[in-house]
Amino acid sequence: MSHPPFTAIIDSLPETVPFVGPETIERRTGIATRARIGANESGFGPSPRVIAALREAAPEVWTYPDPENYELRSALAAHLGIANDEVTISEGIDGLMGLLVRLFIAPGDVVVTSLGAYPTFNYHVTGFGGDLRFVPYSGVHENPEALAAKARETNARMVYLANPDNPMGSFWSAADIARFIDAVPENCLIVLDEAYMETAPEIPLALDTSRPNLLRLRTFSKAYGMAGLRCGYAIGHRRLVGAFNRIRNHFGVNKQAQVAALTALDDQTYLRWAVDAIADARLRIARIATENGLRALPSATNFVAIDCGRDGPYALAILEALAHEGVFVRKPAAPGLDQHIRISAGPPGILDILAEAMPIAVKNAQSAP
Amino acid sequence: MSHPPFTAIIDSLPETVPFVGPETIERRTGIATRARIGANESGFGPSPRVIAALREAAPEVWTYPDPENYELRSALAAHLGIANDEVTISEGIDGLMGLLVRLFIAPGDVVVTSLGAYPTFNYHVTGFGGDLRFVPYSGVHENPEALAAKARETNARMVYLANPDNPMGSFWSAADIARFIDAVPENCLIVLDEAYMETAPEIPLALDTSRPNLLRLRTFSKAYGMAGLRCGYAIGHRRLVGAFNRIRNHFGVNKQAQVAALTALDDQTYLRWAVDAIADARLRIARIATENGLRALPSATNFVAIDCGRDGPYALAILEALAHEGVFVRKPAAPGLDQHIRISAGPPGILDILAEAMPIAVKNAQSAP
């Protein structure tokens, strides 16, 4: 007896995990993670007020969350200076990506992104039968001009750009982003992933929710230190934002996430402290790299990309040697980027472990066959 | 400038909320909810051990959840006597429904359900372009025989049955369910929604994960008292369960939900206490109904359907009069069921408020024009 048939798209998809978690690596290797600095989380954690709010709200988890996320949307709208119906909330940016691809992409529709950019976006595009077209990075930057050109040339329905960039940590100015937006055709949705905006060196492009082909994605997972709570939001024209209400899982954002995000937003003092702490950690990571003969790239994010100076296999050998020391980091896999490893900011005690492990890792990688 | 075009399916969908939350009603009416007994939540709350675990884990929300939900899946599998890859976890049963419809339903595919059954299932079927066919309830029961017959007759890809039933609280024995399963064609997926199984009067049909067309949905939202945390699971053949890994939001289940569910599962003593407390509350609700000249239906769930004895508008008038007293309940809207209101179990203090409000509500409904 065979199972009922899947749809044609589902038949074409593999079972996958876009990111293998450090928990899985621990289970496989038996080596305990001593420094968790690979997933661009914030080891500085959330605001103490967030922790207090989570604890206070714990007995209230018996009720469903407000399906309209009303309080949080109102607070975000006030904070951003936009209207309530210009922001929608979901289970992290990953959840938003699944929904926005579903809104716009039918099988065969072209979607443009950079080769080596966020894989979960690609996962969702493929998951709805989209036709991904890749533009190579220009050095360590996504190439906005080439992305817009490719979107025009392919009559793309959607184009993705992260600013600041993951995995390279690079950054485009507001003027550069404005030029990119103007160069994309009106019938192509621009997905501007601003997950790392809080740690950028300058304020990003002003919010313009009148533009009907621009969605900006932000999150409480990075500088706010709440990756485990899954709370991301999309900002844009009310017709775009409203469309999520046609398909979203209305009760998908968990009540603890709502409470925590509301509190986090209200504690901008902590956010500024965390952003400073992240900046200090970036400097320390860069120093550790230099001390070990590696080259740290400038970073606008909560992680530092480090050029290991040779090829992909060599960078991988360093990553694996770090893993052997209990230091969890990740690395880009795309050609042209794969000589880098990517290390997330963390508190001093955790970076001490990195400092201790790095010379061992480099030595081991150099002596590898 | 118009926005980029949505897909054809999206164009056909309205913006909607499958369930209007009590928070929204409060905002509209300005009347504070004194008794929240309309969403089939558990006013008895989660286990005290769950609350303690949530509090202890609060500082750890800076890390992403394990995308494989490994510990929770292992614990569930051990608890259920199945293999790890025969259970998958998602953001509540609602999240699972969105995924399972997407796995199997292409535009135009027929899906069979009962007229008046869970609306969020219908929302997802419509959201993927499925063709819903409805079978009327037989009295206050879903009609398994007619559902299977309709599935055969329409060559349906999917058929939905809740046991125990929501919104009526009725229940079919394991033998009845086994007969239903056997009557559904092999190429049609059976979605057996067992959200309320913990409060049923007898142990449900034994788990048989060898059957390739059966998925059973369960949740921590009801008897476990954790609706706000969004954690549901699907049990079935490993080929069905594995397919969720092709499309799910891997990081969708929040870390607090993972911690809480793991703890809740480990505290079966509390679950038994909660199930007893829910049974007592059902008796009390039935008594309140009788005292007010209404008729309570037998219930296998954490709520009681009450026949108001006249028509839909009369039942609605009682519901609205209750709302005016700060008592939030819901009611079925489907013809044949709509003379009922549905009241969730809650602790004695909350049911005192119901006892006080009900005579006023009935009197007001009777004197309504």
Side-chain angles (χ1 to χ4, degrees), chain B residues 169-186:
Chain B
S170 54
F171 177 71
W172 290 108
S173 72
D176 291 322
I177 296 295
R179 207 160 28 244
F180 164 70
I181 290 170
D182 284 336
V184 174
E186 292 181 5

Side-chain angles (χ1 to χ4, degrees), chain A residues 1-7 10-11 13-19 23-24 27 36 39 41-43 45-46 51 54-55 58-59 61-68 70 91 94-95 102-106 123 127-128 157 186-189 212-213 221-222 225-230 239-240 242-243 245-251 254-256, chain B residues 1-7 10-11 13-19 23-24 27 36 39 41-43 45-46 51 54-55 58-59 61-68 70 91 94-95 102-106 123 127-128 157 186-189 212-213 221-222 225-230 239-240 242-243 245-251 254-256:
Chain A
M1 189 170 166
S2 68
H3 64 76
F6 297 126
T7 69
I10 299 297
D11 261 336
L13 300 173
E15 292 183 20
T16 185
V17 181
F19 286 103
E23 299 84 359
T24 304
R27 283 191 295 271
R36 184 175 165 125
E41 300 154 337
S42 177
I51 294 171
L54 283 170
R55 286 177 169 157
V61 297
W62 64 274
T63 68
Y64 283 99
D66 172 12
E68 301 187 23
Y70 183 84
E91 307 91 321
D94 286 1
R102 185 173 156 201
L103 287 175
F104 291 97
I105 301 304
Y123 165 78
F128 287 100
R157 286 296 175 87
E186 291 181 6
N187 65 355
C188 176
L189 183 80
N213 71 333
S221 294
K222 303 300 176 187
M226 290 164 38
L229 290 175
R230 317 312 303 124
R239 287 182 66 186
L240 298 180
N245 291 329
R246 305 183 192 199
I247 58 169
R248 71 191 179 90
N249 178 1
H250 288 76
F251 293 89
N254 149 327
K255 210 172 164 190
Q256 290 285 81
Chain B
M1 187 171 167
S2 68
H3 65 77
F6 297 126
T7 70
I10 298 298
D11 261 336
L13 300 173
E15 292 183 19
T16 184
V17 181
F19 286 102
E23 299 84 0
T24 304
R27 284 191 295 272
R36 185 175 164 126
E41 300 155 337
S42 176
I51 295 171
L54 284 170
R55 287 177 167 156
V61 297
W62 65 275
T63 68
Y64 283 99
D66 172 11
E68 301 189 23
Y70 183 85
E91 306 91 324
D94 286 2
R102 184 172 157 203
L103 287 175
F104 291 97
I105 302 304
Y123 165 79
F128 286 100
R157 286 298 175 87
E186 292 181 5
N187 64 355
C188 175
L189 183 79
N213 70 333
S221 294
K222 303 300 176 186
M226 290 163 39
L229 289 175
R230 316 311 303 126
R239 288 182 66 185
L240 298 180
N245 291 328
R246 305 183 191 199
I247 57 169
R248 71 191 179 89
N249 178 2
H250 288 75
F251 293 89
N254 147 327
K255 213 173 162 188
Q256 291 279 87

Side-chain angles (χ1 to χ4, degrees), chain A residues 30-65:
Chain A
I31 302 167
T33 302
R34 295 190 298 146
R36 184 175 165 125
I37 45 177
N40 303 344
E41 300 154 337
S42 177
F44 301 101
S47 151
R49 281 182 52 201
V50 166
I51 294 171
L54 283 170
R55 286 177 169 157
E56 196 186 327
E60 305 306 319
V61 297
W62 64 274
T63 68
Y64 283 99

Side-chain angles (χ1 to χ4, degrees), chain B residues 178-244:
Chain B
R179 207 160 28 244
F180 164 70
I181 290 170
D182 284 336
V184 174
E186 292 181 5
N187 64 355
C188 175
L189 183 79
I190 301 164
V191 179
L192 185 57
D193 183 344
E194 300 184 318
Y196 298 96
M197 65 149 290
E198 290 88 358
T199 50
E202 68 172 74
I203 291 170
L205 186 68
L207 285 179
D208 173 7
T209 50
S210 73
R211 185 140 201 138
N213 70 333
L214 176 61
L215 269 177
R216 299 166 76 158
L217 309 181
R218 296 182 179 182
T219 183
F220 288 94
S221 294
K222 303 300 176 186
Y224 284 103
M226 290 163 39
L229 289 175
R230 316 311 303 126
C231 191
Y233 51 106
I235 303 159
H237 191 284
R238 52 170 52 83
R239 288 182 66 185
L240 298 180
V241 163
F244 286 80

